[in-house]
């Protein structure tokens, strides 16, 4: 009995460590090995592989094959095939590199991101399944949320030089970013961890559950009021709109209460944040480059897929990105002139990509992967979203988190956003058809 308790305690500590590593997305290792070192999850690769070998040796077959894992594996195999095909096309044309970057080397490096994501999903689901007590799972998320809350408070108190030694650069930063590189990538972490934490309170008694929900809500609202991320605000509003549409059926009293709550939340959001959001967005359009750069890179991806419906793979995409930069700027110029009356856009940042291999990529995870995999990537995202939405119907809080994350995919990169895959792994394992019998769960929670 003591051996079992020690094992479970070790797993809980290990899971807590994994949860911290998941949110650490500005690891200084990036300065030595490139973008894949921006997260310490890369250091876990030997452990992931060791566990896979141990499982294979024990069961003589691949285990824990959830639909999420199967979709990801299928996507990786397709990307490998299309990457090789388009690299061969470039090689036949005499193109072996772009700038200082080898096309073959780039293709392999990007594929490593996808393999690491799959291994992360499998490992997290293995750890989740190995912890028998839901109260232990709850305790892990409680500890990590508390740590994030403390970091946020200390960060606000010591801006703009908060925890610079934990980040890849020492430049001053004036927004809340926790352990990420910028504030626009932080909101999804807060949403995912708070949502899973609230979901796990269902296994607590009434008082503990109420107090925990208040704690999680305070964590979320605190971040909401101190963040300077426009993208986070917009996605919050879109999530509320989708939620309102979902619960328009008044025949159920629960739906009516939820709908009223959502409408009130939308009203508070609009009255408190809309003016500042519109002002900030207008200022961004008139004076800065971030809106142009994001939209420009998305247009590049769309033009590429229009000409190459199957995608261009993870190596040759560098050539196509450079090829369509000027076309993208031309299309944006017409768009902003017709819509806003702006005759000349500030495309300086986007023009820097022309002829350069540095930080070359779409400023949107969804469209970046669509550029890689073409229409097959669209099918992959559709099947993934459909499977998860069906499973998450039984939990309102995880439904909200899932919708938020699906919208976030349009704005943030996905290669190192492991909290996204954490949420997907959690939903895939515990909800829908894979959800355990309630009586078994009740026993495990004791």
């Amino acid at each position: 009995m003591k051996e079992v308790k020690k094992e479970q305690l070790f797993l809980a500590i290990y899971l807590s460590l994994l949860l911290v590593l998941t949110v650490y997305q500005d690891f200084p290792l990036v300065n030595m090995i490139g973008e894949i070192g921006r997260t310490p999850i890369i250091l876990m690769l030997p452990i992931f592989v060791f566990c896979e070998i141990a499982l294979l040796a024990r069961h003589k077959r691949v285990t824990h094959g959830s639909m999420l894992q199967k979709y990801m594996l299928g996507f990786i195999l397709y990307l490998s095939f299309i990457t090789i095909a388009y690299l061969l096309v470039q090689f036949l044309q005499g193109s072996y590199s772009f700038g200082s970057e080898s096309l073959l080397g780039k293709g392999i490096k990007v594929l490593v991101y996808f393999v690491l994501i799959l291994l992360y999903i499998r490992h997290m689901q293995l750890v989740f399944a190995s912890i028998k007590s839901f109260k232990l799972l709850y305790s892990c998320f409680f500890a990590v949320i508390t740590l994030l809350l403390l970091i946020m408070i200390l960060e606000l108190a010591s801006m703009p030089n908060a925890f610079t030694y934990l980040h890849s650069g020492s430049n001053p930063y004036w927004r809340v970013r926790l352990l990420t590189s910028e504030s626009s990538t932080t909101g999804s972490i807060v949403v995912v961890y708070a949502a899973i934490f609230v979901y796990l309170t269902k296994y607590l008694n009434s008082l503990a559950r109420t107090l925990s929900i208040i704690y999680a809500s305070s964590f979320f609202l605190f971040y909401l009021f101190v963040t300077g991320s426009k993208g986070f605000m917009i996605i919050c509003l879109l999530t509320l709109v989708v939620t309102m549409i979902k619960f328009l059926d008044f025949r159920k009293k629960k739906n009516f209460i939820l709908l009223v709550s959502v409408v009130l939340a939308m009203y508070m959001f609009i009255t408190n944040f809309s003016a500042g959001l519109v002002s900030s967005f207008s200022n961004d359009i008139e004076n800065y480059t971030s809106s142009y750069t994001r939209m420009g890179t998305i247009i590049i991806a769309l033009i590429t897929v229009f000409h190459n419906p199957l995608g261009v793979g993870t190596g040759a995409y560098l050539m196509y990105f450079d090829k369509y930069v000027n076309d993208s700027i031309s299309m944006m110029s017409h768009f902003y002139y017709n819509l806003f009356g702006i005759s000349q856009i500030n495309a300086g940042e986007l023009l820097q990509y022309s002829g350069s291999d540095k930080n070359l990529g779409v400023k949107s995870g969804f469209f970046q992967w669509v550029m890689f995999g073409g229409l097959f990537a669209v099918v992959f995202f559709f099947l993934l979203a459909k499977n998860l939405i069906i499973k998450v119907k039984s939990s309102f809080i995880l439904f909200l988190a899932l919708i938020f994350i699906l919208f976030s995919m349009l704005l943030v990169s996905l290669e190192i956003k492991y909290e996204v895959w954490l949420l997907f792994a959690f939903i895939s394992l515990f909800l829908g058809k894979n959800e355990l019998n309630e009586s078994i769960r009740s026993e495990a929670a004791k």
Side-chain angles (χ1 to χ4, degrees):
M1 191 67 176
K2 287 184 178 180
E3 291 293 328
V4 173
K5 288 185 177 179
K6 286 182 179 179
E7 177 187 340
Q8 290 294 299
L9 180 60
F10 169 78
L11 286 171
I13 295 172
Y14 179 62
L15 175 59
S16 299
L17 174 63
L18 286 173
L19 293 176
V20 173
L21 296 182
T22 295
V23 303
Y24 198 173
Q25 296 166 11
D26 197 22
F27 195 45
L29 186 62
V30 66
N31 298 319
M32 291 182 280
I33 66 172
E35 282 300 310
I36 200 166
R38 195 173 289 280
T39 166
I41 292 296
I42 186 62
L43 300 178
M44 299 297 295
L45 181 58
I47 296 177
F48 292 170
V49 172
F50 174 79
C51 288
E52 292 295 326
I53 294 173
L55 286 172
L56 191 60
R58 180 178 180 181
H59 299 285
K60 310 301 180 185
R61 61 185 177 85
V62 177
T63 57
H64 303 289
S66 63
M67 289 305 298
L68 172 63
Q69 295 177 23
K70 292 175 182 177
Y71 289 149
M72 183 59 68
L73 177 60
F75 189 54
I76 291 171
L77 293 175
Y78 176 78
L79 281 184
S80 301
F81 170 78
I82 205 69
T83 295
I84 293 171
Y86 269 81
L87 284 176
L88 287 175
V89 170
Q90 294 299 319
F91 291 168
L92 290 174
Q93 295 175 353
S95 299
Y96 301 95
S97 62
F98 180 78
S100 61
E101 188 80 66
S102 163
L103 296 183
L104 177 60
K106 185 66 174 181
I108 294 173
K109 284 193 291 185
V110 176
L111 284 173
V112 170
Y113 283 106
F114 290 93
V115 173
L116 190 58
I117 288 172
L118 175 59
L119 292 175
Y120 173 85
I121 291 170
R122 287 179 54 78
H123 196 75
M124 293 304 293
Q125 290 191 328
L126 174 64
V127 175
F128 281 143
S130 300
I131 296 179
K132 306 304 181 183
S133 169
F134 282 90
K135 287 184 178 179
L136 266 183
L137 285 177
Y138 164 88
S139 299
C140 294
F141 279 91
F142 174 79
V144 176
I145 285 177
T146 301
L147 175 63
L148 293 177
L149 185 59
L150 289 173
I151 291 174
M152 200 185 308
I153 293 171
L154 293 173
E155 194 175 21
L156 286 168
S158 54
M159 279 185 182
N161 298 305
F163 302 110
T164 52
Y165 51 89
L166 293 177
H167 292 274
S168 60
S170 57
N171 295 330
Y173 196 84
W174 294 92
R175 293 180 178 180
V176 171
R177 58 176 174 172
L178 295 180
L179 297 177
T180 69
S181 58
E182 55 185 70
S183 62
S184 62
T185 64
T186 307
S188 54
I189 293 172
V190 174
V191 169
V192 169
Y193 279 61
I196 294 178
F197 178 71
V198 170
Y199 174 81
L200 291 171
T201 62
K202 65 189 292 185
Y203 303 104
L204 305 178
N205 61 48
S206 179
L207 177 60
R209 184 181 185 187
T210 301
L211 292 175
S212 296
I213 291 175
I214 292 173
Y215 185 63
S217 301
S218 301
F219 172 63
F220 174 80
L221 290 174
F222 182 48
Y223 175 77
L224 179 66
F225 281 98
V226 300
T227 183
S229 172
K230 298 185 293 294
F232 178 77
M233 300 294 189
I234 293 170
I235 293 173
C236 281
L237 184 57
L238 290 174
T239 302
L240 290 175
V241 170
V242 171
T243 305
M244 183 181 70
I245 294 172
K246 175 179 170 60
F247 294 104
L248 279 178
D249 185 0
F250 295 152
R251 288 175 295 180
K252 295 181 180 179
K253 182 180 178 181
K254 180 181 178 181
N255 280 7
F256 179 75
I257 295 173
L258 288 173
L259 183 61
V260 171
S261 301
V262 169
V263 170
L264 288 175
M266 287 180 64
Y267 173 77
M268 291 178 61
F269 182 91
I270 292 172
T271 54
N272 285 282
F273 301 111
S274 60
L277 190 60
V278 171
S279 175
S280 178
F281 186 67
S282 299
N283 183 58
D284 189 32
I285 289 177
E286 293 172 5
N287 301 301
Y288 300 103
T289 64
S290 61
S291 296
Y292 303 131
T293 302
R294 186 180 299 279
M295 178 177 283
T297 58
I298 290 173
I299 291 173
I300 290 171
L302 293 175
I303 295 174
T304 302
V305 174
F306 178 78
H307 292 286
N308 305 271
L310 299 179
V312 295
T314 60
Y317 88 94
L318 295 172
M319 307 294 291
Y320 293 91
F321 200 100
D322 181 69
K323 180 180 179 180
Y324 296 122
V325 167
N326 290 328
D327 291 341
S328 173
I329 293 174
S330 177
M331 291 180 67
M332 278 198 303
S333 296
H334 286 93
F335 173 79
Y336 277 98
Y337 178 77
N338 292 330
L339 191 63
F340 300 107
I342 299 174
S343 58
Q344 187 172 357
I345 64 173
N346 184 358
E349 185 178 358
L350 193 59
L351 282 170
Q352 290 178 7
Y353 289 137
S354 183
S356 171
D357 61 342
K358 302 299 181 184
N359 300 319
L360 208 59
V362 184
K363 304 302 180 183
S364 161
F366 173 80
F367 288 104
Q368 177 71 76
W369 287 26
V370 168
M371 188 175 185
F372 289 153
L375 297 179
F376 190 90
V378 176
V379 173
F380 163 75
F381 280 115
F382 173 77
L383 293 175
L384 182 66
K386 180 182 178 182
N387 178 264
L388 292 172
I389 289 173
I390 290 173
K391 287 186 175 183
V392 85
K393 284 182 178 179
S394 60
S395 171
F396 174 70
I397 189 63
L398 290 183
F399 173 82
L400 283 176
L402 178 61
I403 297 302
F404 180 93
I405 291 301
L406 292 177
F407 277 125
S408 296
M409 288 180 168
L410 299 174
L411 299 179
V412 300
S413 63
L414 298 176
E415 287 79 12
I416 64 168
K417 295 296 292 174
Y418 286 99
E419 76 277 5
V420 171
W421 308 108
L422 169 69
L423 177 66
F424 291 176
F426 188 90
I427 293 172
S428 179
L429 182 65
F430 290 123
L431 279 77
K433 293 180 180 179
N434 289 324
E435 191 165 19
L436 300 176
N437 184 275
E438 283 296 324
S439 61
I440 298 176
R441 288 191 157 205
S442 298
E443 287 298 319
K446 293 179 181 179

